[in-house]
Amino acid sequence: MAEMTYRDAINLALKEEMRRDKTVVTYGEDVALYEGAFKVTRGLLSEFGELRVRDCPISENTIVGVAVGAAMAGVRPVAELMTVNFALLAMDQIVNHMAKVRYMFGGQTKVPMVIRMPGGGGSQLGAQHSQSLESYFMHCPGMLVAYPATPADAKGLLKTSIREDNPVIFLEHELLYNSKGEVPEDPEFLVPFGKASVMRDGDHVTLVGYGRMAILALQAAQQLEKEGTSCEVIDLRTLVPLDMETVLASVRKTGRAVVIEECWKSAGLGGDIASRIYEGCFDTLLAPVRRISGLDVPMPYSRKIEKLCIPQLEGIVQGVHDLLNEPY
């Protein structure tokens, strides 16, 4: 396997799928000539030409709406929004059209499209450009939601997303673009939806994360191991569908769970996962499920204060300490 960055793994997935299937196209703001705000679409215009790699006006509602129509007409569009924050301008097309068209047509049409969106905080980009909106998308039925943590999963999940006949929200964390890992070179390498990854086996506590939170959970587990605490780390990979079977099997083994979410805590996805753990593991839990979440505030610009608003490695380690030491 080749070692590559999360960014290059996504780029490779796009190239492989565009070579395999001529109906796959990509477009968005600055994806062609500028090769993407984060350079994820580097080299696509020169290889596939402007009919399949196109720059678009700054109109997210139009970008998504055009993708919905193109998908219904037999194209497989991969639309890029410059950041997930701009999806708020396209929520009517995402929620009322993309997610509902196939259902409202009684399954007589397919909507094979992907919206790629970088997101997450930690880059000192202020309140309007540092949001984690994954819970918004999870809440709406009719579309799938992927949030890869590793370069291999970024490639495999994006290829699966492009081949999917239902619409997919594909979230990419901006702080993971330079992370490196081994990536299978097989052009048929796919990662299935609804299958979480057990990144690390453990016996005392289950840590549940996704995207960058899964990476932080893994780092916390490595640190806690030095103290004699064995943590099992689960990367959800896809938020819709959600693989609760893997989560519940782990919690039944360890008896304890910590859910790490970057989004706001109120009505965040961690509350939903915790509720499902209580429903499935109530009799085997040794302690209440703990959530480590983003703070319920608009993201501050100050780097030091921003850090306080997003789950950090130290906070996850402390959360496990508290979980193990509290009476129950």
Side-chain angles (χ1 to χ4, degrees):
M1 290 192 286
E3 184 179 75
M4 65 181 69
T5 64
Y6 186 94
R7 171 190 292 106
D8 289 341
I10 295 171
N11 177 271
L12 180 58
L14 286 167
K15 287 179 176 175
E16 288 181 352
E17 290 306 295
M18 293 182 75
R19 290 166 186 157
R20 183 189 63 83
D21 184 350
K22 291 185 177 179
T23 68
V24 179
V25 302
T26 188
Y27 65 96
E29 296 153 355
D30 289 336
V31 303
L33 291 173
Y34 191 68
E35 300 184 317
F38 294 91
K39 302 301 179 187
V40 173
T41 52
R42 182 183 291 124
L44 296 185
L45 177 63
S46 61
E47 180 172 348
F48 300 103
E50 62 182 10
L51 287 179
R52 297 179 66 193
V53 183
R54 298 186 70 89
D55 286 325
C56 292
I58 303 175
S59 175
E60 287 76 13
N61 206 38
T62 302
I63 291 171
V64 177
V66 168
V68 172
M72 293 175 68
V75 179
R76 288 187 180 269
V78 182
E80 177 181 314
L81 302 187
M82 193 171 286
T83 80
V84 71
N85 307 282
F86 305 149
L88 298 174
L89 296 161
M91 287 302 274
D92 177 52
Q93 285 295 335
I94 293 173
V95 174
N96 279 329
H97 299 271
M98 184 185 86
K100 294 183 173 64
V101 162
R102 194 171 190 191
Y103 172 82
M104 294 177 71
F105 277 77
Q108 297 181 72
T109 184
K110 300 175 182 177
V111 189
M113 60 176 286
V114 181
I115 307 178
R116 292 185 39 249
M117 294 181 278
S123 300
Q124 202 180 10
L125 295 174
Q128 296 171 320
H129 292 74
S130 304
Q131 300 176 101
S132 296
L133 304 179
E134 49 271 22
S135 294
Y136 283 44
F137 304 119
M138 281 185 72
H139 186 63
C140 177
M143 55 190 181
L144 309 179
V145 182
Y147 205 152
T150 67
D153 282 354
K155 177 187 176 186
L157 284 171
L158 181 56
K159 290 168 68 68
T160 302
S161 301
I162 293 171
R163 299 184 188 191
E164 171 64 43
D165 286 336
N166 291 295
V168 177
I169 296 288
F170 194 87
L171 300 168
E172 304 162 9
H173 201 290
E174 296 170 12
L175 294 186
L176 291 179
Y177 277 133
N178 289 327
S179 64
K180 290 184 177 180
E182 292 188 335
V183 177
E185 296 171 278
D186 180 3
E188 288 302 310
F189 169 69
L190 303 172
V191 174
F193 274 57
K195 184 61 179 176
S197 167
V198 180
M199 303 179 82
R200 180 189 178 96
D201 290 326
D203 299 315
H204 299 149
V205 184
T206 298
L207 306 182
V208 182
Y210 60 91
R212 181 169 175 260
M213 296 299 102
I215 301 301
L216 291 181
L218 188 61
Q219 294 171 355
Q222 293 166 346
Q223 185 168 321
L224 287 160
E225 183 184 33
K226 300 174 184 175
E227 306 170 7
T229 300
S230 172
C231 297
E232 185 148 300
V233 179
I234 295 178
D235 172 15
L236 294 171
R237 284 178 161 162
T238 61
L239 306 180
V240 181
L242 191 60
D243 178 11
M244 284 305 299
E245 289 186 11
T246 297
V247 175
L248 296 179
S250 176
V251 177
R252 289 188 185 109
K253 180 177 69 170
T254 65
R256 302 177 180 87
V258 178
V259 183
I260 304 115
E261 55 187 337
E262 185 167 341
C263 58
W264 295 304
K265 186 170 187 177
S266 295
L269 67 90
D272 184 78
I273 294 171
S275 174
R276 298 187 195 211
I277 292 173
Y278 282 121
E279 291 170 358
C281 301
F282 187 79
D283 292 335
T284 56
L285 280 173
L286 300 175
V289 178
R290 181 169 290 269
R291 292 172 64 191
I292 298 175
S293 316
L295 298 187
D296 287 333
V297 296
M299 193 65 71
Y301 180 73
S302 162
R303 186 177 297 279
K304 290 183 179 179
I305 302 177
E306 179 187 38
K307 189 175 180 180
L308 298 174
C309 299
I310 304 171
Q312 303 292 329
L313 172 60
E314 300 82 3
I316 298 171
V317 171
Q318 185 60 50
V320 174
H321 286 161
D322 294 342
L323 182 69
L324 292 172
N325 293 326
E326 67 183 345
Y328 183 59

